Amino acid sequence: MKAKMSEKTATDRLTKAGLEITDHRLRVLLAVGNTPHPSSAPEILEMVRAKKDINRVTVYRILDLLVDHEVLNRLGLGEKSQRFCLRGAHEDEHPHFHCTRCDRYLCLNAPARPFDRQALTDLSLEIEHVDIRLEGICPACQKIKK
Amino acid sequence: MKAKMSEKTATDRLTKAGLEITDHRLRVLLAVGNTPHPSSAPEILEMVRAKKDINRVTVYRILDLLVDHEVLNRLGLGEKSQRFCLRGAHEDEHPHFHCTRCDRYLCLNAPARPFDRQALTDLSLEIEHVDIRLEGICPACQKIKK
DNA sequence: GATTGCACGCAACCATGTTGCATGGACCTT
DNA sequence: AAGGTCCATGCAACATGGTTGCGTGCAATC
C-alpha cells in the first residue's frame, strides 16, 4: 500500500506531463493513484462517479491521454478490460497476481525476471515485453470462508 | 506445426470425453485442432463458418462444452476474447507469445518455469496457475517490411 | 403415438470500448 | 468589445465479444 496521492502530487504529475489541469483529469488520476492495485476502466469510472457524475467517454479519453503522456501504465493483461496503474509506482516489469475470487489484481514487486531470453531470441522472436500473471486466491479472500 | 487432426481423431476425442458426436462439434473441434496457435472464439467462428453457416451462439456453447469436458483448454490470456487450444497439444503450463503485429498467439514449448514459488507462497498467495505472456514481433512479421 | 431430452437457432440483451458530432468555455487577435 | 479558434466535455450511436431465454425439431424412449 502506497501513501495516498495528494491533489498536489496529482497536479504536479499532470503539469510535468505537459497537460493542462482540469477537474476531471485530476479526479481520474487521483482515483487510479489512490488504489493500491491496478484498476479496470469500469472500476475507475465508478470511483470517479461516486463523487460527481462524469461521462463514460470522458473517462476513457482521459485514461488514453494519461497513458499517452506516460502518467499511467496500461497493463496488457489480455485484450479487453484493460487495467491502469500509476507509472513508476512499481518496478517496470513485475508480475501480477489475479485473484479469481475477488477479481482484483495485485502488483508483486518480486523481481521475477528469471527468463531465458536467449532461448527465445534463438527462436527469432523479437521480444518487447514480458507479462507474468499468477492466478489464485489472495490473502484477503483466503480468510473469508467460502 | 502439429500434424493435421483427422476426423477420426476428433471423433475419438469427443467419444472419450463422453460427448455425443454431432456435425457441429466435429467442425469446431477440427477447426481448433488444425490451427497451430490458440484461436479466439471469433476466429473459430469464422473458420467453421467458412465451410457452412453456423450460429454464433452454437459455437460459443460448443466451446464451453469442450472446455468443460477437458477437450480444449481455455487460455486466460486476459479477461475477454478468450483463446482456445487442444488439451494436451502442449505442455501444461507454457509461455505464450503474442505478436503485436499480426495479433496471433504462439505456444512456446520452452519449459520456462523459473519461478521462485516459495517467495510467493511466503506472501501467502495461493497460486493456482501461472501465465507467462511475451509480447513482440513474430518471425513471420519480422520478414514483412513495415 | 405420446413424452422426454437435447442440439441448435433466433432474438434480445449485456459489457467494454470507440467514433462523430455538438456545445460551451477559455484564450487570442484585431 | 466582437469575432475566431482551440479544446475538454457530453451525448448518441455504433462495434465487438459474449450470454441468456425461449422455441423448435429431431431422436430415443416409454
Side-chain angles (χ1 to χ4, degrees):
Chain A
M1 301 271 169
K2 290 266 159 181
K4 285 259 172 186
M5 180 180 227
S6 69
E7 193 147 335
K8 165 137 187 11
T9 323
T11 316
D12 280 0
R13 284 198 78 147
L14 288 180
T15 312
K16 266 181 217 148
L19 292 170
E20 276 176 60
I21 315 294
T22 74
D23 184 44
H24 289 176
R25 288 176 186 174
L26 271 179
R27 284 160 65 205
V28 170
L29 179 51
L30 283 169
V32 178
N34 286 324
T35 315
H37 55 267
S39 326
S40 68
E43 273 165 18
I44 296 167
L45 181 62
E46 206 184 334
M47 288 187 285
V48 177
R49 270 191 174 154
K51 293 168 198 162
K52 190 158 141 288
D53 194 40
I54 189 172
N55 191 274
R56 204 161 56 98
V57 180
T58 303
V59 171
Y60 278 105
R61 284 201 271 235
I62 291 178
L63 289 172
D64 285 345
L65 186 79
L66 295 181
V67 170
D68 280 354
H69 286 71
E70 310 191 332
V71 178
L72 297 183
N73 280 329
R74 170 182 274 125
L75 306 184
L77 300 171
E79 346 253 38
K80 288 260 182 150
S81 196
Q82 348 170 331
R83 306 241 164 195
F84 299 87
C85 64
L86 265 191
R87 188 121 171 175
H90 308 270
E91 299 186 20
D92 222 22
E93 273 185 9
H94 58 271
H96 289 103
F97 177 87
H98 178 217
C99 176
T100 50
R101 236 177 252 173
C102 64
D103 200 40
R104 272 198 264 208
Y105 275 82
L106 304 176
C107 295
L108 305 180
N109 277 317
R113 289 299 316 291
F115 246 90
D116 185 359
R117 290 215 180 201
Q118 193 52 50
L120 296 165
T121 310
D122 290 349
L123 292 167
S124 53
L125 299 174
E126 207 173 278
I127 293 163
E128 291 165 349
H129 190 74
V130 179
D131 248 331
I132 299 183
R133 206 167 131 269
L134 308 171
E135 231 171 39
I137 321 261
C138 73
C141 284
Q142 283 172 44
K143 282 183 204 134
I144 305 166
K145 54 190 93 284
K146 212 182 82 179
Chain B
M1 302 271 169
K2 292 262 158 182
K4 286 258 169 186
M5 180 181 227
S6 68
E7 194 148 334
K8 167 134 185 14
T9 322
T11 317
D12 280 1
R13 285 199 78 146
L14 289 180
T15 313
K16 266 181 215 149
L19 291 170
E20 277 175 61
I21 315 295
T22 74
D23 183 46
H24 289 173
R25 289 177 186 173
L26 271 179
R27 282 160 64 204
V28 169
L29 179 51
L30 283 169
V32 179
N34 286 325
T35 315
H37 56 268
S39 326
S40 68
E43 274 165 16
I44 296 167
L45 181 61
E46 207 184 333
M47 286 188 284
V48 176
R49 270 191 174 156
K51 291 169 199 162
K52 191 157 140 285
D53 194 38
I54 189 173
N55 191 273
R56 202 162 59 99
V57 180
T58 302
V59 170
Y60 279 105
R61 284 204 270 238
I62 290 177
L63 288 171
D64 285 345
L65 185 80
L66 296 182
V67 170
D68 281 354
H69 285 72
E70 311 192 330
V71 178
L72 297 183
N73 279 328
R74 167 182 276 125
L75 305 183
L77 300 171
E79 347 254 35
K80 288 262 181 147
S81 195
Q82 349 171 329
R83 304 241 165 194
F84 299 87
C85 63
L86 264 192
R87 188 119 170 177
H90 308 270
E91 299 186 20
D92 224 21
E93 274 185 7
H94 58 271
H96 290 102
F97 177 87
H98 177 216
C99 177
T100 50
R101 235 177 254 173
C102 64
D103 201 40
R104 272 197 263 208
Y105 276 82
L106 304 176
C107 295
L108 306 180
N109 277 317
R113 289 299 319 291
F115 245 89
D116 186 358
R117 289 217 179 199
Q118 194 51 48
L120 298 166
T121 310
D122 290 349
L123 292 167
S124 52
L125 298 174
E126 207 174 277
I127 293 164
E128 292 166 347
H129 189 77
V130 180
D131 248 332
I132 299 182
R133 206 168 131 270
L134 309 170
E135 230 171 39
I137 319 262
C138 74
C141 285
Q142 283 172 43
K143 281 182 207 136
I144 305 166
K145 52 191 94 287
K146 210 181 83 176

